[in-house]
Amino acid sequence: MNSHTRKLLTIVTEAVLESVLIRDIELLGAHGYTVSDVRGKGSRGVRSSSWDSSSNIRVEVLCDEKTAAAIAAHLQAHYYADYAMILFINDVAVLRPEKF
Amino acid sequence: MNSHTRKLLTIVTEAVLESVLIRDIELLGAHGYTVSDVRGKGSRGVRSSSWDSSSNIRVEVLCDEKTAAAIAAHLQAHYYADYAMILFINDVAVLRPEKF
Amino acid sequence: MNSHTRKLLTIVTEAVLESVLIRDIELLGAHGYTVSDVRGKGSRGVRSSSWDSSSNIRVEVLCDEKTAAAIAAHLQAHYYADYAMILFINDVAVLRPEKF
Amino acid sequence: MDPVILFFLLGLAAGLLRSELRLPGAVYDLVSMLLLLAIGMKGGVELARQSLAELLPQTLAVMTMGLLLPAIAYPVLRYAGRFKRADAASIAAHYGSVSVATYAVAAAWFASRDIAFEAHMPLLLAVLEIPAILVGIVLARGLSRDIRLDAVVHEVFLGKGIVLLIGGLLIGWASGPEGIMPLAPLFFDLFKGILALFLLEMGLITAAHFGSLRRHGAFLVLFGVGMPLFASLVGTVFGVVLGFSVGGTAMLATLAASASYIAVPAAMRISVPEANPTLSLAAALGVTFPFNVLAGIPLYHALATKVHVFAGG
Amino acid sequence: MDPVILFFLLGLAAGLLRSELRLPGAVYDLVSMLLLLAIGMKGGVELARQSLAELLPQTLAVMTMGLLLPAIAYPVLRYAGRFKRADAASIAAHYGSVSVATYAVAAAWFASRDIAFEAHMPLLLAVLEIPAILVGIVLARGLSRDIRLDAVVHEVFLGKGIVLLIGGLLIGWASGPEGIMPLAPLFFDLFKGILALFLLEMGLITAAHFGSLRRHGAFLVLFGVGMPLFASLVGTVFGVVLGFSVGGTAMLATLAASASYIAVPAAMRISVPEANPTLSLAAALGVTFPFNVLAGIPLYHALATKVHVFAGG
Amino acid sequence: MDPVILFFLLGLAAGLLRSELRLPGAVYDLVSMLLLLAIGMKGGVELARQSLAELLPQTLAVMTMGLLLPAIAYPVLRYAGRFKRADAASIAAHYGSVSVATYAVAAAWFASRDIAFEAHMPLLLAVLEIPAILVGIVLARGLSRDIRLDAVVHEVFLGKGIVLLIGGLLIGWASGPEGIMPLAPLFFDLFKGILALFLLEMGLITAAHFGSLRRHGAFLVLFGVGMPLFASLVGTVFGVVLGFSVGGTAMLATLAASASYIAVPAAMRISVPEANPTLSLAAALGVTFPFNVLAGIPLYHALATKVHVFAGG
Ligand SMILES: Nc1ncnc2c1ncn2[C@@H]1O[C@H](COP(=O)(O)O)[C@@H](O)[C@H]1O
Ligand SMILES: Nc1ncnc2c1ncn2[C@@H]1O[C@H](COP(=O)(O)O)[C@@H](O)[C@H]1O
Ligand SMILES: Nc1ncnc2c1ncn2[C@@H]1O[C@H](COP(=O)(O)O)[C@@H](O)[C@H]1O
Ligand code: NA
Ligand code: NA
Ligand code: NA
């Protein structure tokens, strides 16, 4: 089994951003993404209702280092100031590096 | 992009623990958390019903190393014996280290 | 706190595979798994409906290196060609290594 | 056979055959919310017609029953069943408390046979949920040990089930039979259909608990049938002594015989975590619930009829 | 008191007592979908009976009201309330728009008192949702700045609420009173029960927003009561001028007085992200919604009655 | 136009305009469960009145039709359509099986026109789901290759759809028309409303599949219209030969013309994974389902009427 290292970028943010975020991510070169519904708390308070405008999503993007850096920079510039959002990156091993 | 390393602590445990666990985590110094509904199987059997008392949650906490260690130790001491629970920790890169 | 390194294998794939995948994973030696409902997009298009046959699951397995490699190889051989599926592996620290 | 019971059997069969059938969590929540609110509202509407003077002693008596039953069950489990202290206490608490689903099935069974019962029964149902939990905690920990009392009280009184049942009672009581009419199409007319869906899921859950029964042996099965039979006797005695009608006596016997699988498991998990939840759920769901809905309810009614003839004659 | 209001109070109490009660997201979605479709369909059935010649001027007048109200609220918030520009604009937009839940409660209140109102009100409800959003964006950004207009238009016109309301209107209109009958059991007969569930969740949400009120001070509370009172006067004037019945006038006053908490928050979050959503939701949900359903609706009806007596001679 | 069809069009429009409207997964599950159970129960109640002697040959004949249709579709797809073997087999299986939603729309269409049809039709609906799946698997793999037969059987007979349909049939049959009455408010009175919600989601799903149609070309569109037209002829012949009424013949033609998009996709995904699911769903959902509900059903009824006049006259 040949494995290669790629970046897994995870974003937790407001559900209302789902469609714009996905558009941005794809424009910045990601080949895919995975979204799930989550709840939580951070500096902008509790976000955990059955209610779209105060619930969160987690978006995960598996990509190469450059794309991860570009997405992170873009999100930091455009969304950090106004939206509940956190972002973190870690290394993962994948089998088909050309895919990501 | 300046990135810094923090710990991502992930807990998978019984849904019934959600509120007490969150209280403990905040008392131990975490600045936030993210929760999602999951199902699974482990040494305490299948936990995957549409039914609170046998469903699981995943709790993720992004924090510094000391807090992660404190939470892990606390959970090990108080919950491991009696509850379905697993816990793991990995390193992630974040952009705003002061936040976590 | 004594921690040990194990592998966290994450699979994102079609919801319809849940039961066969879980069977395979257990046969290959995993002691547990965690499943959650997600949506996403990849090379096989958008998979995000309220509708089983086009929704995704994320399966996470915490295990030792050998088991992770075995599962990855098995999935690559049996499912990669025909199913929407991605797989990645990363190192995590656990407290009770004998459990995984 | 009542069609709602057929839904239970369908769920059971689908579960045992490992069908993919499963009620989504949100649907289960909706269905159980509607049942709890409907039962509460139905009872509340009637409460308006009752005098408090009559209700209070009955309520207290029924609470006593809720303290008594787990206190009797505990030594049986501990010494005959050789369960660990925490397990015996937890199982006892489940059987001292009540099952709303069993109540609903009994109410439907009675209704289809035109058997009247005291209309404030939902109040007693709500009242009976709680004492057994407290007894269970004391049995497991003793009185001396530090118990997270606030967490327990919160779990017990502010759990979803109690809030909806009591909330429904109050809404029914405040609205009265006239005022509640606009809500009848959802809460009353659909009641049996909703109950059918709920029992479908109960069947699936029961099937899932059959497995653990096999592992935990014959004693649980015996207890799961014997305890409700015994408790129904206690309930019948309380019913007769409190001057209930035949229907009311049978219903109190059914409540006594039923075992909780919602409020108590959640409360025990928090307050007696060292108790193994698989044991109590296997007994309550895998044995007692099916026993009660398939065989118990008619039995308890026959018993109440007999005893009333005897007592009244 | 209307039993649906009791459900709101139950939710409020449960929320304030920190009960675990919570409507799953999917159930909230289902319930609000059913309400929006039902309101739309009910209005659409009546639209068929109206002449377009009559509807158009009313619709335009009501849109004007929707432009006027946020334009009045903005300076109050900006200068008396000392809010930042974006925040003042966003709160103003919430109050210029309307709340479907408030409409539904008012419709139920009117129905139980046999107060008739113009049957095409749901059309005005739909029409009123939108202008305030555009005013809010312009107030926050000015006309010059580049606004992601496509995203805004998409968010506003294709948001879930508008699509279901307008969709329901069209379906009702195309089906007519006869054609719609087979759908009545779900959409009309269950309406009040569904509304009760919705208000239960509204109570829980309101309770969650009380906390932020405490942090953001007295001005929001004052505004949250004062603005609907003032807006109801404006609505009453528009109602009288447009020749509405007493019921219709009271309903238009109620719409004017109500503050959006679904369509507008979502639109503002995308188009004026620097506005703090906590402020507007705390006012709209924590103050204005409970004020309207508990006290406002009867008040606005009394006002409309008075003014009609006065205007009618 | 039937209002439930308007819901389909609303969903279609919302989907094509990329509205945010979406039924939560749990709601979709609930709605489809209620439909399947209701259809089953309605049929089951009638089964009690039928003699088995009459049902058995009809059932076998209809199964034969379910084997025949995919066997005819396959060569067309393989040679005229130039699809890969697995794809041709999978699409053929979809068209040999049936669509419960199409059945429900047809039943509603017939009911609103007082067209009677054989009451045990739901049994034939259930029966028709299965044979085409087996044919599809054999076409894709041949008889020799090792097929995970257990997984296939499990998927086919214990899939959610079949369990609920057959379960409903049995419950209806065991309860009889009287016994089922208490469940009527949920399962029968709300039926059309529930169907409307379901079709709203179907419209959204259909819109999502239009895109893949554009990519996969004209042949699929042609096949998606031509195959149901041809299959409806086959269904009509079977109906007439089996001595069905005009309504029953039209319904059998509708079933023949409909293409599965629930049971078969799931079964094919497991047993013929190399088939591209996008192709079959684009045809079944993007073309055939809308064609059938918008134009096909009246057509098949007209056909059945003509043929009956001809055959009977
Ligand atoms: N320290 C943390 N650990 C895990 N999740 C967090 C943390 N901080 C914030 N979050 C998640 O990110 C969302 C937005 O965070 P914030 O912008 O800090 O309000 C929260 O609602 C949480 O779901
Ligand atoms: N090896 C594993 N990999 C992934 N998840 C696991 C594993 N073991 C346990 N879990 C999850 O953790 C929960 C509790 O585990 P346990 O305490 O072993 O029953 C299970 O229900 C699973 O959701
Ligand atoms: N680059 C990616 N990052 C995150 N998730 C992905 C990525 N690519 C694919 N996925 C997920 O994996 C599923 C299957 O991927 P695929 O086989 O490429 O269609 C998708 O539906 C996504 O949920
Ligand atoms: Na009991
Ligand atoms: Na307003
Ligand atoms: Na067919």
Side-chain angles (χ1 to χ4, degrees):
Chain A
M1 195 181 70
N2 264 336
S3 78
H4 307 256
T5 303
R6 285 290 174 276
K7 295 289 176 186
L8 176 68
L9 177 124
T10 305
I11 308 153
V12 179
T13 190
E14 309 188 8
V16 79
L17 281 185
E18 180 163 344
S19 51
V20 291
L21 213 60
I22 281 174
R23 205 194 40 204
D24 291 359
I25 286 171
E26 294 199 290
L27 285 177
L28 290 166
H31 298 157
Y33 54 82
T34 296
V35 183
S36 53
D37 296 311
V38 300
R39 50 190 179 276
K41 183 173 170 186
S43 57
R44 294 189 182 243
V46 177
R47 303 188 50 79
S48 65
S49 90
S50 36
W51 203 40
D52 256 17
S53 33
S54 79
S55 76
N56 283 343
I57 49 170
R58 179 206 282 112
V59 182
E60 283 160 309
V61 185
L62 198 51
C63 53
D64 57 31
E65 186 153 7
K66 235 183 72 201
T67 310
I71 296 175
H74 176 84
L75 297 189
Q76 184 163 33
H78 289 81
Y79 299 103
Y80 268 30
D82 295 327
Y83 293 95
M85 179 179 284
I86 65 167
L87 181 160
F88 52 87
I89 298 177
N90 61 308
D91 290 335
V92 299
V94 300
L95 299 184
R96 297 172 294 182
E98 69 288 355
K99 192 173 157 71
F100 305 106
Chain B
M1 197 181 68
N2 263 336
S3 78
H4 307 256
T5 302
R6 286 288 174 278
K7 294 288 178 188
L8 177 68
L9 176 125
T10 304
I11 307 153
V12 179
T13 190
E14 309 188 9
V16 79
L17 280 186
E18 180 164 345
S19 51
V20 291
L21 213 60
I22 281 174
R23 204 194 41 204
D24 290 359
I25 286 171
E26 293 199 290
L27 285 177
L28 291 165
H31 298 157
Y33 54 83
T34 295
V35 182
S36 53
D37 296 311
V38 300
R39 51 190 177 278
K41 183 172 169 186
S43 58
R44 294 190 181 242
V46 177
R47 303 189 49 79
S48 67
S49 91
S50 38
W51 203 41
D52 256 18
S53 32
S54 80
S55 75
N56 282 343
I57 50 171
R58 179 207 280 111
V59 183
E60 283 160 310
V61 185
L62 198 51
C63 53
D64 57 31
E65 185 152 8
K66 236 184 72 201
T67 310
I71 296 175
H74 176 85
L75 297 189
Q76 185 163 33
H78 289 81
Y79 299 102
Y80 268 30
D82 295 327
Y83 293 95
M85 180 179 282
I86 65 166
L87 181 160
F88 53 87
I89 298 177
N90 62 308
D91 290 334
V92 299
V94 300
L95 300 182
R96 297 173 294 184
E98 69 288 357
K99 194 175 156 70
F100 304 106
Chain C
M1 195 182 68
N2 264 337
S3 79
H4 307 256
T5 303
R6 285 290 174 275
K7 295 289 178 187
L8 176 68
L9 176 125
T10 305
I11 307 153
V12 179
T13 190
E14 309 188 9
V16 79
L17 281 185
E18 181 163 344
S19 52
V20 290
L21 214 59
I22 281 174
R23 205 193 41 204
D24 290 0
I25 286 171
E26 294 199 289
L27 286 177
L28 290 165
H31 298 157
Y33 54 82
T34 295
V35 183
S36 53
D37 296 311
V38 301
R39 50 189 177 277
K41 184 173 168 185
S43 57
R44 294 189 181 242
V46 177
R47 303 189 49 79
S48 65
S49 92
S50 35
W51 202 42
D52 256 18
S53 34
S54 79
S55 76
N56 282 342
I57 50 170
R58 178 205 282 111
V59 182
E60 283 161 309
V61 184
L62 198 51
C63 53
D64 58 30
E65 186 153 5
K66 234 184 72 201
T67 310
I71 296 175
H74 176 84
L75 298 189
Q76 184 163 33
H78 289 81
Y79 299 103
Y80 268 29
D82 295 327
Y83 293 95
M85 178 179 284
I86 65 166
L87 180 160
F88 53 88
I89 299 177
N90 62 309
D91 290 335
V92 299
V94 301
L95 300 183
R96 296 172 295 182
E98 70 287 357
K99 194 175 157 69
F100 305 106
Chain D
M1 188 173 286
D2 205 312
V4 296
I5 302 296
L6 297 172
F7 274 82
F8 177 71
L9 295 177
L10 174 59
L12 199 61
L16 293 176
L17 293 169
R18 306 190 169 285
S19 154
E20 315 251 298
L21 188 60
R22 199 194 298 172
L23 234 65
V27 171
Y28 178 84
D29 280 3
L30 171 63
V31 159
S32 57
M33 278 181 68
L34 289 173
L35 288 185
L36 287 161
L37 284 169
I39 291 174
M41 283 158 66
K42 204 165 253 173
V45 165
E46 303 298 328
L47 273 191
R49 302 191 181 138
Q50 310 267 322
S51 75
L52 218 92
E54 196 185 356
L55 288 178
L56 199 67
Q58 281 187 12
T59 307
L60 290 176
V62 160
M63 282 181 112
T64 315
M65 188 179 92
L67 296 169
L68 198 65
L69 286 172
I72 298 171
Y74 177 74
V76 176
L77 289 155
R78 186 89 171 94
Y79 302 108
R82 296 176 174 283
F83 284 106
K84 285 191 301 180
R85 178 170 178 176
D87 288 328
S90 168
I91 302 174
H94 284 70
Y95 279 83
S97 184
V98 287
S99 145
V100 174
T102 310
Y103 173 85
V105 173
W109 193 87
F110 286 17
S112 70
R113 277 155 193 79
D114 282 323
I115 302 168
F117 57 88
E118 275 66 13
H120 57 283
M121 217 33 107
L123 176 67
L124 304 183
L125 172 72
V127 159
L128 264 174
E129 291 225 34
I130 296 166
I133 298 178
L134 305 175
V135 174
I137 296 174
V138 171
L139 285 171
R141 306 215 163 285
L143 283 169
S144 56
R145 291 271 303 277
D146 68 317
I147 301 168
R148 281 182 174 184
L149 205 71
D150 57 332
V152 172
V153 166
H154 188 271
E155 196 60 41
V156 169
F157 288 95
L158 293 171
K160 218 156 67 169
I162 291 286
V163 167
L164 290 171
L165 205 51
I166 300 283
L169 270 167
L170 290 174
I171 289 174
W173 175 77
S175 305
E178 294 283 287
I180 215 79
M181 285 309 295
L183 301 182
L186 177 60
F187 290 101
F188 300 154
D189 299 353
L190 299 191
F191 187 79
K192 272 214 152 177
I194 301 284
L195 180 60
L197 286 183
F198 187 76
L199 290 177
L200 183 65
E201 174 69 15
M202 290 295 306
L204 292 164
I205 299 178
T206 300
H209 284 276
F210 272 179
S212 26
L213 264 184
R214 224 169 301 136
R215 274 196 303 283
H216 293 290
F219 184 83
L220 271 189
V221 177
L222 267 180
F223 182 81
V225 172
M227 181 66 200
L229 286 175
F230 168 76
S232 74
L233 291 177
V234 176
T236 305
V237 171
F238 268 84
V240 171
V241 169
L242 290 173
F244 279 12
S245 66
V246 173
T249 306
M251 190 56 106
L252 195 61
T254 305
L255 289 182
S258 75
S260 170
Y261 52 86
I262 296 185
V264 180
M268 285 295 126
R269 209 70 201 95
I270 295 295
S271 18
V272 189
E274 67 274 29
N276 179 356
T278 313
L279 297 174
S280 30
L281 284 175
L285 275 174
V287 184
T288 303
F289 180 76
F291 173 72
N292 277 333
V293 300
L294 296 176
I297 294 169
L299 211 68
Y300 309 146
H301 180 251
L303 177 68
T305 314
K306 282 263 166 55
V307 172
H308 265 261
V309 170
F310 180 81
Chain E
M1 188 172 286
D2 205 312
V4 295
I5 302 295
L6 296 173
F7 274 82
F8 177 71
L9 295 177
L10 174 59
L12 199 60
L16 292 176
L17 293 169
R18 305 188 170 285
S19 154
E20 315 252 297
L21 187 60
R22 200 193 297 171
L23 233 68
V27 171
Y28 178 84
D29 281 2
L30 170 63
V31 159
S32 57
M33 278 181 68
L34 289 174
L35 288 185
L36 287 161
L37 285 169
I39 291 174
M41 283 158 66
K42 204 166 254 174
V45 165
E46 302 298 329
L47 273 191
R49 301 191 181 139
Q50 311 266 324
S51 75
L52 217 93
E54 196 185 356
L55 288 178
L56 199 67
Q58 280 186 14
T59 307
L60 291 176
V62 160
M63 282 182 113
T64 315
M65 188 178 92
L67 296 168
L68 198 65
L69 286 172
I72 297 172
Y74 177 74
V76 176
L77 290 156
R78 185 88 171 94
Y79 302 110
R82 297 179 174 282
F83 283 106
K84 284 191 301 182
R85 179 171 178 176
D87 287 328
S90 169
I91 303 175
H94 284 70
Y95 279 82
S97 184
V98 287
S99 144
V100 173
T102 310
Y103 173 84
V105 173
W109 193 88
F110 286 16
S112 70
R113 277 157 194 79
D114 282 324
I115 301 168
F117 57 87
E118 274 67 12
H120 57 284
M121 219 31 111
L123 176 66
L124 304 183
L125 172 72
V127 158
L128 265 173
E129 290 225 34
I130 295 166
I133 297 178
L134 305 175
V135 175
I137 296 173
V138 171
L139 285 171
R141 306 215 163 285
L143 283 168
S144 57
R145 291 271 304 276
D146 67 317
I147 303 168
R148 281 183 175 184
L149 204 71
D150 57 332
V152 172
V153 166
H154 187 270
E155 195 62 40
V156 169
F157 289 94
L158 292 172
K160 217 155 69 169
I162 291 286
V163 167
L164 289 172
L165 205 52
I166 300 283
L169 270 167
L170 291 174
I171 290 174
W173 175 77
S175 305
E178 294 284 288
I180 214 79
M181 284 310 295
L183 302 182
L186 177 60
F187 290 100
F188 301 154
D189 298 354
L190 299 191
F191 187 79
K192 272 214 151 176
I194 301 284
L195 180 60
L197 286 183
F198 187 76
L199 290 177
L200 183 66
E201 174 68 15
M202 290 295 305
L204 292 164
I205 298 179
T206 300
H209 283 277
F210 272 179
S212 26
L213 264 185
R214 223 170 301 137
R215 274 195 303 283
H216 294 290
F219 184 84
L220 270 189
V221 177
L222 268 179
F223 183 83
V225 173
M227 182 65 200
L229 286 176
F230 168 76
S232 74
L233 291 177
V234 176
T236 305
V237 171
F238 268 85
V240 171
V241 169
L242 289 172
F244 279 12
S245 66
V246 173
T249 306
M251 190 55 107
L252 196 61
T254 304
L255 289 182
S258 74
S260 170
Y261 52 86
I262 296 184
V264 181
M268 286 295 125
R269 208 72 201 95
I270 294 296
S271 19
V272 189
E274 67 273 29
N276 179 354
T278 314
L279 297 175
S280 31
L281 284 176
L285 275 174
V287 185
T288 303
F289 180 76
F291 173 73
N292 277 333
V293 300
L294 297 175
I297 293 168
L299 212 68
Y300 309 146
H301 181 252
L303 178 67
T305 314
K306 282 263 166 55
V307 172
H308 265 260
V309 170
F310 180 79
Chain F
M1 188 172 285
D2 206 312
V4 296
I5 301 295
L6 296 173
F7 274 83
F8 177 71
L9 295 177
L10 174 59
L12 198 61
L16 292 176
L17 293 169
R18 305 190 169 285
S19 154
E20 315 253 297
L21 188 59
R22 199 194 298 171
L23 235 66
V27 171
Y28 178 84
D29 282 1
L30 170 63
V31 159
S32 58
M33 278 180 68
L34 289 174
L35 288 185
L36 287 161
L37 284 169
I39 291 174
M41 284 158 65
K42 202 165 254 173
V45 165
E46 302 298 328
L47 274 191
R49 302 193 181 136
Q50 311 267 322
S51 75
L52 218 93
E54 195 185 358
L55 288 178
L56 199 67
Q58 281 186 14
T59 306
L60 290 176
V62 160
M63 282 180 112
T64 315
M65 187 178 91
L67 296 169
L68 197 65
L69 286 172
I72 298 171
Y74 177 75
V76 177
L77 289 156
R78 185 89 172 94
Y79 302 109
R82 297 176 173 284
F83 283 106
K84 285 190 300 180
R85 178 171 179 176
D87 288 328
S90 169
I91 302 175
H94 284 70
Y95 279 82
S97 184
V98 287
S99 145
V100 174
T102 309
Y103 173 84
V105 172
W109 192 87
F110 285 18
S112 71
R113 277 156 192 80
D114 282 324
I115 302 168
F117 57 89
E118 274 66 12
H120 58 283
M121 218 34 108
L123 175 68
L124 304 183
L125 173 71
V127 159
L128 264 173
E129 290 225 34
I130 295 166
I133 299 179
L134 306 175
V135 175
I137 296 174
V138 171
L139 285 171
R141 306 216 164 283
L143 283 169
S144 57
R145 291 272 302 277
D146 66 317
I147 301 169
R148 282 182 173 184
L149 205 72
D150 56 333
V152 171
V153 167
H154 188 270
E155 196 60 41
V156 168
F157 288 95
L158 292 172
K160 217 156 69 170
I162 290 287
V163 167
L164 289 172
L165 206 51
I166 300 284
L169 270 168
L170 291 174
I171 290 174
W173 175 77
S175 305
E178 295 283 288
I180 215 79
M181 284 309 295
L183 302 182
L186 177 60
F187 290 100
F188 300 155
D189 298 354
L190 300 190
F191 186 79
K192 272 214 150 177
I194 301 285
L195 179 60
L197 287 183
F198 187 77
L199 289 177
L200 183 65
E201 175 69 14
M202 290 295 306
L204 291 164
I205 298 179
T206 299
H209 283 277
F210 273 178
S212 27
L213 264 185
R214 223 169 301 136
R215 273 196 303 282
H216 294 291
F219 184 83
L220 270 190
V221 177
L222 268 179
F223 183 81
V225 173
M227 181 66 199
L229 285 175
F230 168 76
S232 74
L233 291 177
V234 177
T236 305
V237 171
F238 269 86
V240 171
V241 169
L242 291 173
F244 279 12
S245 66
V246 173
T249 306
M251 190 55 108
L252 195 62
T254 305
L255 289 183
S258 75
S260 169
Y261 53 85
I262 296 185
V264 180
M268 285 295 126
R269 209 72 201 95
I270 294 296
S271 19
V272 189
E274 67 274 29
N276 178 356
T278 313
L279 297 175
S280 31
L281 284 176
L285 275 174
V287 184
T288 303
F289 180 75
F291 173 73
N292 277 333
V293 299
L294 296 175
I297 293 169
L299 212 68
Y300 309 146
H301 180 252
L303 177 68
T305 315
K306 282 262 166 53
V307 173
H308 265 261
V309 170
F310 180 80

